[in-house]
Amino acid sequence: MTKKPSLLRPGLQKHLLERIEDSTNEEERLHRVRIYNRFLKYFKDADGDMDALWESIRADYDVFCATQFVNTYGQPFFPAIFQSEAAKELYEGNYSEYFIFACRRSGKSSWAATVIIWLMQLVPYTIVQIYAPTEPQLFIIKYIVDNLEKNEFLKEELIQKPTRWSLKKRYVRFKNGSEADTWSMGMGFTGDSARGGGGNLLVIEEVGLWRRGDLDAVVKPMKREKHTKKSMIYIGTPTLDYNPDLPIEWERAQESKTTWTRTFTCWDAVREGVRGPDIMIETFLDYGIPCQLVKDNGVCPVYMPEYYEGLPLDFTCPYNKVCEENDDFVREEMIGFPKISGALFPMEKVRTMFFDGMALTDRPESDSRTYIMAADSALLDDYTQ
């Protein structure tokens, strides 16, 4: 008879404590200590009953991650604060849509993978559909498979037999009826399941790289189907290259009572320990941003003054915030929509510029001519022009 894999990895407690000691700042350390203390309580309450301990662990996203997943270096995976908050909001289900704009290398795809596994094992018949602009951008399913591959207990406890999961097939099915499947624009959208009509959790990767029509083909069928409670997660970074309407959609999402929104900048990532200052030094070098303060310290005194002792209250950036002049940095790291002269402006935005009594209208009529209006987006948004 084959021995059942152990719920807890050998030396887990020691490794958890080592990760706590390796915290990059006090905020991250306290967050990890709270997770560790909850794990100790569950362990004590179980009193040697592994089934009871598993029931406690599987219901707590943070403890589930810390005890069942490892990072790239084989260390216990402690969720960042923003990842814990997002998982809590998603589980409570107070919103139908979750819109997350996060900087590069902030763990947004790895968070989505862990929270999908957690929800699938916790809530039977959770049907997850993951979409990305291209097949190589289907990062989340890769992380899902990688996390399951590294954990013999989860493979035995969760995966349906015969094994129905692989990175190549991009499909995972659990014993409790939950499953995750993937599509990209290159695969086409045919049938309800490939257009968001068959799932109850829809995840859109790299939302800023979707064209409006393709995104509608996926999202609208899911919104129309009212038989089951559905949630949609949008993850990405801001860009205007493919969907000029994205800034307007983001504003609507922030104002909507049914949408949970969160931005996570590079400085948030440093503050919560997702990134170290060394990564920010590397980032500024890669972007060619001439700010010596960040290149020397890895932390910006404007956005993170708490890291600088004796900083005057009237401190201003000696480099005139040169980082904000780099559109790529603003979009990828600061989570701001770029202000690029000559970029296309959505018609809806242009229409907001028209008022009654003005000679210029958005639908000029003439018997003999067709009028075309062009606008410089940077000047249109500049109140001084």
Side-chain angles (χ1 to χ4, degrees), residues 8-39:
L8 305 178
R9 296 186 303 277
L12 176 63
Q13 185 173 2
K14 173 187 174 184
H15 296 149
L16 290 172
L17 290 172
E18 288 174 347
R19 286 291 284 154
I20 291 173
E21 290 302 313
D22 288 341
S23 301
T24 57
N25 56 57
E26 186 65 9
E27 190 172 7
E28 181 186 44
R29 190 188 72 82
L30 291 175
H31 180 59
R32 291 178 175 181
V33 166
R34 286 191 290 267
I35 296 172
Y36 177 75
N37 286 339
R38 293 208 302 275
F39 166 63

Side-chain angles (χ1 to χ4, degrees), residues 57-93:
I57 288 175
R58 68 190 293 261
D60 186 322
Y61 169 75
D62 295 329
V63 177
F64 181 80
C65 289
T67 60
Q68 302 304 307
F69 300 139
V70 294
N71 61 18
T72 307
Y73 307 102
Q75 302 165 320
F77 174 74
F78 276 100
I81 296 172
F82 102 92
Q83 294 170 330
S84 298
E85 291 173 351
K88 177 178 180 292
E89 292 290 347
L90 184 62
Y91 177 71
E92 292 179 350

